[in-house]
Amino acid sequence: MYKFPMSGRHRTGRTTLACAYLTACSFPLSALAGSPSTLPDLNITASHGAPVAFAGVPETVITRAEIERLQATSVLSLLENRAGINMVNQGGPGKITTASIWGMSGSQTLVLIDGVRIGSLTAGAAYLENLPVALIDHIDIIKGPRSGQYGADAMGGVIQIFTRKGKKGIQPSFSIAGGSNKTFETSANVSGGNGPFDYSIGASHQGTGGFNAYTDTTGSPFAVNQPDNDGYRNNSASGRLNYTGDNGARLGVHWLGTNAFTDYDGSSFAGNQQRSRQQNFGLDGALMKIGIWQLRASAGRNIERQTQYYDGKYVSEYNSRQDSFSLANDFSIGQGLLTLGADRLNDHVSSSVNYDVTSRHNNGVFAQYATQIADLSIQTALRHDSNSQFGSANTGSVDLSWQLNPSLALTGGYGTGFHVPSFNFLYYPGGYANPDLRPEHSRTARLGFNWQNNNGWTSSLTAFRTRTRDLIASSASTNFVPYNINQAQSIGAEWQLGWHNADWALNSSATWISAVDRETGVSIPRQPKWSGRVDVDRKLGAWRMGVTVRGQTATHESTFSQINNGFATADLRLSYAYSQNWHIEAKLSNVLDKQYQTAYDYHQAGRTVLFTLRYGL
């Protein structure tokens, strides 16, 4: 049996068991395109910030236009049941929300905000529940290992969230919304640009009375039942200033801050309320290109403070700070781009409990090369990490795209990854830690195709297999002290189909995954075998209407008797533009009032409605 990492957040009396399982482009885009109709966009997430155009990696991009079309109010609602992605939420808005990719765990997925890592160092995972959708420009999701570029934690893939940016002129936006469960939301943003400068500044508020997030059905003597509504509120703000000079020179600074408070069910020891504060800072830039060479650099800091209370009285706190620094040299060599770089990551924790070790650091050096040989596009990466706790690790990847014709490309790749244990697993006091844990390691192979035509249709299919060794687990037989087991395996496939024209938008996806412990043959907890999603929108003059249908098959916790039943839900949305920039919107979520859960005994919202007034250029 397996155990989720101790959260370092709100611990209920119940033990949850499961698997621990900006650039100006100086690189010739035409060099990596088979024809103008297949020219890929720059993908700085898949290339560690290098300005490389490469379409050979499995990717999902969620734009600002799609965020507004879907009337999304959370990152959860944007990502759930998309291709290759599994979301787990423990009780609605503001409650623990993690994303896993291709059968890996949430701790094996790297999450970035504008290139800066986020996540709890004590729990060892990135939590997405407090990220404000109103301040997001777009989300880039890269599936498959990226440790060759980013080092630890990118075993399953990378989710990068970009905050809103400025454009030429002045562009204000504003929204106010209200609906079920005493929900109230508002946001304001102003962005613009003049000459070489652009800027964006925004703020948002979310608040809801919530619903009863948790009901124990296990009869455990450690369970806490508090049949009340578990509310949530979140105040967030962001800012960005960029300078873009001649011949690729640039300099940018960005910041995102959140201050959230949520209620949950918990004991006087674990607390039943939590305040979460996050500060994310970043500075990045590049010198002007000199001949074939350009130098890029970045620095960032992410601070996460989590304080638990019981009915307003202080109980505990768990704080994380990550400082990152990166230096990269880009060399345009023939039809390719070579990148040589180095980075450093400093981790530090402080808390109300005493950890034997409170800091560590990691030094990494990496090389990457992308080129085009006839109709074959190649991107390779190689990295060496030296960690103050675990010693050395070597990782790498190769990604291929063969353009058979202007509409169809075959893709494939192979990559390795690793994940370092959390501070809780290593040093949590009281006999529940194991300082001798080894890092987890993975190997992933994939094969697929990308297809598009001139009538607005696009499609992709990717099959993959990942084998993981030294997976971290725990069981009752070891008093829940974590240990390394032999191997786990994830085999699956994801499929995406889309169609767009002036009046219609269709996005659909499906995922099949078989994730098992290879030693026992037991399937990994909280991983549905099948999942899928369809978003359809239609524009009729000033009106726009849409529907989202999504669902997944059953999952289980590590006890196997605790089953999260499969489900399907539907959302309806309607928007009316009564002037050029003003919109009135309505969204009816979970139309059939389906009762379901993605974590055992943690409820999801029933039927809700939200009305929004929005202004934006």
Side-chain angles (χ1 to χ4, degrees), residues 314-337:
Y314 173 88
V315 173
S316 59
E317 63 181 295
Y318 299 85
N319 304 321
S320 304
R321 187 185 74 234
Q322 299 182 78
D323 294 318
S324 55
F325 310 90
S326 179
L327 194 66
N329 299 269
D330 295 326
F331 300 91
S332 298
I333 302 175
Q335 297 298 309
L337 182 72

Side-chain angles (χ1 to χ4, degrees), residues 25 46 164 184 202 225 253 256 292 309 324 342 385 391 433 446 457 529-530 555:
C25 178
R164 298 181 73 160
F184 177 77
N225 275 317
V253 59
L256 174 67
I292 65 170
Y309 304 88
S324 55
D385 285 280
R446 63 176 177 85
W457 287 96
K529 181 155 287 189
W530 288 96
T555 65

Side-chain angles (χ1 to χ4, degrees), residues 52 71 110 170 248 278 355 378 422 426 445 463 542 556 614:
V52 174
Q71 300 180 31
L110 177 64
I170 300 177
Q278 177 173 297
Y355 291 85
I378 305 172
S422 68
L426 290 165
H556 64 82
R614 186 187 307 277

Side-chain angles (χ1 to χ4, degrees), residues 156-239:
V158 180
I159 298 174
Q160 180 153 204
I161 296 168
F162 295 89
T163 55
R164 298 181 73 160
K165 303 177 181 180
K167 299 178 182 179
K168 186 176 181 180
I170 300 177
Q171 299 171 342
S173 62
F174 166 81
S175 69
I176 186 170
S180 304
N181 299 328
K182 300 180 180 178
T183 297
F184 177 77
E185 302 179 357
T186 186
S187 69
N189 190 88
V190 60
S191 60
N194 186 17
F197 293 95
D198 66 81
Y199 64 90
S200 178
I201 185 169
S204 71
H205 167 79
Q206 294 176 284
T208 180
F211 50 88
N212 186 32
Y214 172 76
T215 301
D216 178 71
T217 61
T218 66
S220 168
F222 302 104
V224 177
N225 275 317
Q226 296 173 336
D228 57 350
N229 291 334
D230 296 304
Y232 169 68
R233 63 180 183 270
N234 181 0
N235 296 312
S236 303
S238 67

Side-chain angles (χ1 to χ4, degrees), residues 66-82:
E66 186 174 0
I67 292 172
E68 294 184 355
R69 184 174 71 246
L70 296 176
Q71 300 180 31
T73 58
S74 68
V75 173
L76 172 66
S77 66
L78 283 173
L79 301 188
E80 53 194 353
N81 299 122
R82 288 185 183 263

